[in-house]
Amino acid sequence: ATHSHLPPDQHHYLLVGVIFISMKSFFCMPLVVLLASLRGGSAFMTPTKRFTSVGAKKSTRLHSLPSLIVFDLDNTLWTPELYQLRKVARSNRYPIANEDVKLFPAAKQIIQQIKNEREGRFANTKFAVASRTQSVDWAHNLLEQFELKELFDHVEIFSGDKKRHFSHLKSASGIDYEE
């Protein structure tokens, strides 16, 4: 989705695969993030237009942040997907951050913004990981190598159905899906 009501020279969009809990159901939804090319902008601002019924007045508002934002790992925060590291597996070693696995540049920006504003804008927002992988130990190790472990309030990394990840997150966080 794009926000065509903003002039193209005033924004730069990036589609980041982010999973979050909302609308009383499990679903994976891309979060369109507006990077800081807008004055005072933020990667978490998603402007939308709202129209009132009287005279079709228009106003711009910002979505409030959900109570829980859940990130996937493979091809969302980093690349490549861990199953693709056959050479690393054959050499019987763990992947090395920034060598075998790299964070996406936009993911770095978003993570830095979260870290910088954890006590402000994100004070009422929790962050979690929900990742389906056979390489559970590798994923945990990479979170430590990238110094991301402390960023996440909840971490669910295991193979299987993603619905189980969200069920565990709901139980562990105490946050309902609609929040």
Side-chain angles (χ1 to χ4, degrees):
T2 62
H3 296 283
S4 58
H5 61 275
L6 293 174
D9 60 337
Q10 290 186 10
H11 66 280
H12 174 48
Y13 291 97
L14 174 70
L15 197 59
V16 179
V18 175
I19 301 166
F20 62 94
I21 298 173
S22 180
M23 311 278 277
K24 298 182 183 178
S25 65
F26 305 105
F27 64 93
C28 197
M29 178 177 176
L31 173 66
V32 177
V33 293
L34 177 64
L35 296 178
S37 57
L38 289 172
R39 275 181 245 144
S42 158
F44 287 92
M45 292 171 56
T46 55
T48 60
K49 281 200 173 179
R50 182 179 63 204
F51 295 92
T52 61
S53 58
V54 180
K57 289 183 180 179
K58 44 187 170 176
S59 66
T60 301
R61 66 178 173 83
L62 297 178
H63 291 284
S64 61
L65 292 171
S67 299
L68 179 64
I69 297 175
V70 181
F71 290 86
D72 198 350
L73 297 176
D74 288 352
N75 280 338
T76 300
L77 290 184
W78 62 50
T79 188
E81 293 187 41
L82 297 184
Y83 81 88
Q84 295 174 306
L85 299 174
R86 291 177 197 93
K87 191 182 282 188
V88 172
R90 282 193 297 266
S91 65
N92 208 21
R93 66 175 178 86
Y94 280 82
I96 299 169
N98 296 313
E99 187 177 307
D100 299 311
V101 177
K102 296 179 186 331
L103 290 176
F104 286 110
K108 286 181 190 178
Q109 289 177 325
I110 291 168
I111 289 163
Q112 191 56 54
Q113 183 177 351
I114 292 168
K115 286 180 177 181
N116 291 344
E117 298 182 42
R118 191 67 192 243
E119 300 300 316
R121 173 178 295 174
F122 302 113
N124 296 318
T125 302
K126 300 227 182 258
F127 295 90
V129 166
S131 181
R132 270 186 49 205
T133 183
Q134 298 289 331
S135 307
V136 175
D137 291 339
W138 284 9
H140 283 284
N141 184 271
L142 284 164
L143 285 174
E144 289 176 17
Q145 287 185 59
F146 283 121
E147 298 178 356
L148 297 177
K149 201 93 166 175
E150 72 281 353
L151 176 71
F152 297 110
D153 302 290
H154 306 281
V155 176
E156 293 292 329
I157 302 173
F158 52 86
S159 62
D161 187 357
K162 194 70 94 165
K163 289 181 181 180
R164 278 188 37 223
H165 290 85
F166 284 101
S167 178
H168 290 187
L169 287 171
K170 182 181 179 198
S171 295
S173 69
I175 297 172
D176 287 328
Y177 296 124
E178 62 271 3
E179 293 180 49

